């Protein structure tokens, strides 16, 4: 017979710590668990919360966190309890309801857990963390309550966003300082190049590009443009869904981690997929970053470098208005010519038109400036973990 306990009652170290359960169902790729793991780490390390993360796909998770054991039903990493979640009924061996319950991306909580939430003396703060969208409606729906049809429980919709009135996006409190230290240290950057590619850093005049992308029909033309570029281009490609296109372009059987290939002015390195914390250094090293989905899109903005976003594709091109909504924020203050070039390039990279590299490259200085101004603007919205913690505490009073 399961026992219902408030997890905070079981903490012998600091009884006042807020206990938080995060539930994450991996739909595909790495974004769902990428966001949840980042949030879990921040709530634990920056807010002192006692966090438990339920995740149904340890294989995807292990790519971001190589220390994770695949055969453990329950393990603790970085002070966070990780439960292998066997949806839909499983809610841990002992049913404990936390003070704050986060249902990520509308994954359904186990019904026994919801029933136990309703029985709890003090109802937990229950939040549904939504996917990031830059669309205007998000601010209207952020923090809207939704009463449960049967139980005396209220779920609140927590919307990440890029503008005021939204939940913001995740940003660790030490991120800027860590980035600045890396950028200021020639030895750290040399060590990064040597460890990651086996090569010394390229000459300062080279354009370094990171490419994290889904399969993309526009990639062949872009590789040709980089091959024919007037200067040298160094492409850094984490192993993944775009690797097959690189292999075809270079006439190789595969473009697996450790491969180095050259055609014309383009040199490309295939990189091993790194643990999540290390991915930022790839973004900080590059002059321009191609990112995708949700979490790498956010990291590119905090890297304060020009970037190109491949949005997660949805049926009926439902993703295209979301792409334009992000552009409306990011490109808002750019001079017309630069904004048009950036918009055309992002559209081309997302299936509408053709990316024109020389045109984008011409505007890189203006885009570098905008990247810095935008990061400062985005920071005004506040870090998502901090915003969420603040709201949850108001619900616990
Ligand atoms: O993997 P994604 O395509 O995830 C997507 C999106 O989140 C999308 O919104 C969602 O609907 C879909 O999944 C199901 O892209 P994303 O969001 O950038 O997540 C990638 C994660 O992988 C991110 O946390 C960064 C991390 N990463 C590493 O840890 N190491 C690496 O080497 C690389 C390239 C990425």
């Amino acid at each position: 017979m399961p026992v219902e306990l408030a997890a905070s009652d079981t903490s012998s170290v600091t009884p006042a710590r807020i206990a938080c359960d995060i539930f994450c169902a991996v739909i595909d790729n790495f974004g769902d668990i990428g966001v949840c793991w980042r949030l879990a780490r921040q709530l634990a390390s920056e807010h002192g919360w006692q966090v438990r993360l339920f995740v149904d796909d340890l294989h995807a998770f292990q790519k971001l966190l190589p220390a994770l054991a695949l055969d453990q039903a329950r393990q603790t990493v970085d002070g966070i309890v990780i439960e292998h979640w066997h949806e839909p009924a499983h809610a841990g061996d002992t049913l404990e309801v936390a003070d704050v319950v986060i249902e990520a991306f509308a994954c359904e909580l186990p019904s026994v857990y919801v029933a136990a939430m309703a029985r709890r003396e003090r109802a937990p703060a229950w939040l549904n963390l939504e996917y990031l969208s830059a669309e205007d409606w998000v601010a209207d729906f952020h923090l809207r309550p939704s009463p449960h049809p049967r139980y005396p429980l209220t779920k609140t919709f927590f919307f990440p966003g890029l503008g005021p009135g939204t939940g913001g996006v995740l940003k660790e409190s030490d991120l800027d300082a860590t980035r600045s230290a890396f950028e200021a240290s020639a030895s750290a950057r040399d060590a990064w190049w040597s460890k990651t590619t086996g090569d010394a850093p390229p000459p300062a005049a080279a354009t370094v590009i990171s490419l994290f992308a889904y399969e993309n029909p526009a990639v062949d033309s872009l590789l040709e443009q980089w091959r024919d570029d007037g200067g040298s281009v160094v492409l850094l490609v984490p192993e993944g869904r775009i690797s097959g296109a690189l292999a075809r372009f270079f006439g190789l059987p595969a473009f697996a981690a450790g491969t180095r290939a050259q055609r014309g002015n383009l040199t490309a390195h295939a990189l091993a997929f790194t643990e999540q914390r290390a991915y930022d250094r790839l973004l900080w090293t590059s002059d321009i970053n191609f990112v995708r989905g949700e979490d790498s899109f956010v990291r590119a903005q905090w890297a304060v470098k020009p970037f190109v976003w491949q949005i997660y594709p949805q049926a009926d091109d439902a993703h295209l208005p979301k792409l334009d909504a992000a552009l409306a924020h990011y490109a808002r203050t750019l001079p017309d010519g630069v904004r048009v070039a950036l918009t055309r390039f992002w559209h081309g990279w997302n299936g509408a038109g053709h990316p024109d590299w020389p045109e984008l490259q011409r505007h890189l200085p203006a885009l570098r400036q905008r990247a810095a101004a935008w990061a400062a603007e985005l920071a005004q919205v506040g870090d998502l973990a901090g915003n969420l913690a603040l709201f949850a505490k108001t619900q616990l009073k």
Side-chain angles (χ1 to χ4, degrees):
M1 187 66 183
V3 184
E4 185 193 340
L5 289 171
S8 50
D9 298 341
T10 65
S11 162
S12 56
V13 192
T14 39
R17 283 176 84 189
I18 290 176
C20 172
D21 281 349
I22 303 175
F23 287 82
C24 174
V26 174
I27 307 297
D28 61 5
N29 304 311
F30 306 107
D32 305 292
I33 185 57
V35 169
C36 290
W37 177 233
R38 200 180 285 292
L39 174 64
R41 280 197 282 127
Q42 257 189 276
L43 291 174
S45 68
E46 295 181 16
H47 298 275
W49 287 15
Q50 182 183 312
V51 181
R52 190 162 60 143
L53 175 57
F54 287 82
V55 55
D56 64 349
D57 182 350
L58 294 185
H59 284 92
F61 195 0
Q62 197 195 40
K63 294 273 279 177
L64 311 181
L65 180 64
L68 195 75
L70 294 178
D71 57 355
Q72 303 276 310
R74 185 186 177 114
Q75 57 197 301
T76 302
V77 182
D78 292 350
I80 294 154
V81 175
I82 297 165
E83 298 258 8
H84 188 189
W85 182 26
H86 312 284
E87 301 177 89
H90 172 252
D93 294 335
T94 310
L95 189 57
E96 299 171 14
V97 174
D99 304 305
V100 180
V101 179
I102 300 173
E103 166 184 303
F105 314 124
C107 72
E108 210 177 316
L109 295 186
S111 53
V112 285
Y113 190 93
V114 179
M117 282 164 72
R119 290 198 304 272
R120 200 174 189 259
E121 198 179 323
R122 192 173 62 176
W126 181 7
L127 301 172
N128 179 23
L129 175 65
E130 291 286 340
Y131 284 114
L132 170 62
S133 169
E135 291 164 297
D136 288 342
W137 59 263
V138 162
D140 293 334
F141 283 81
H142 178 52
L143 299 186
R144 277 222 187 157
S146 162
H148 193 279
R150 290 195 313 282
Y151 294 124
L153 292 168
T154 298
K155 173 158 72 178
T156 303
F157 289 92
F158 195 95
F159 277 90
L162 301 184
T166 72
V169 293
L170 292 168
K171 184 187 189 192
E172 297 82 357
S173 56
D174 62 356
L175 182 62
D176 286 339
T178 313
R179 179 176 56 81
S180 300
F182 179 79
E183 287 174 347
S185 166
S187 62
R189 285 182 282 114
D190 287 359
W192 185 90
W193 277 98
S194 154
K195 182 167 175 259
T196 312
T197 68
D199 274 0
T207 304
V208 178
I209 302 171
S210 82
L211 179 64
F212 180 43
Y214 308 117
E215 298 81 355
N216 191 325
V219 75
D220 295 331
S221 129
L222 202 50
L223 290 169
E224 285 165 11
Q225 294 177 61
W226 287 332
R227 177 197 63 197
D228 302 336
D229 191 273
S232 95
V233 173
V234 177
L235 187 62
L236 303 171
V237 191
E239 225 179 345
R241 291 175 57 177
I242 198 79
S243 300
L246 273 288
R248 280 192 300 281
F249 180 77
F250 288 110
L252 298 168
F255 199 63
T259 307
R260 180 186 192 280
Q262 187 165 8
R263 272 183 75 184
N265 275 342
L266 172 64
T267 305
H269 296 271
L271 310 185
F273 197 93
T274 63
E275 67 134 341
Q276 191 183 45
R277 256 181 258 244
Y279 175 59
D280 285 323
R281 290 199 280 280
L282 172 61
L283 302 173
W284 302 339
T285 300
S286 304
D287 298 306
I288 174 163
N289 292 300
F290 284 68
V291 289
R292 73 183 205 193
E294 175 162 332
D295 191 53
S296 57
F297 165 62
V298 171
R299 304 314 280 182
Q301 295 169 63
W302 296 136
V304 193
K305 295 282 175 69
F307 72 97
V308 178
W309 185 29
Q310 187 178 15
I311 192 169
Y312 184 75
Q314 290 177 292
D316 302 326
D317 286 340
H319 54 285
L320 293 180
K322 295 181 183 166
L323 185 80
D324 283 336
L327 274 167
H329 285 273
Y330 187 68
R332 189 173 53 83
T333 59
L334 284 171
D336 286 351
V338 189
R339 193 176 57 251
V340 168
L342 184 73
T343 302
R344 274 223 289 262
F345 200 95
W346 280 32
H347 282 179
W349 190 236
N350 285 279
H354 301 282
D356 181 341
W357 171 246
E359 193 193 17
L360 186 77
Q361 196 180 30
R362 223 181 1 263
H363 296 300
L364 284 182
L367 290 169
R368 272 193 286 277
Q369 271 184 17
R370 176 57 186 154
W374 169 248
E377 229 177 275
L378 184 59
Q380 297 299 312
V381 186
D383 150 58
L384 186 149
N387 290 338
L388 185 147
L390 209 62
F391 173 76
K393 281 191 208 156
T394 65
Q395 303 297 293
L396 294 176
K397 276 183 188 152

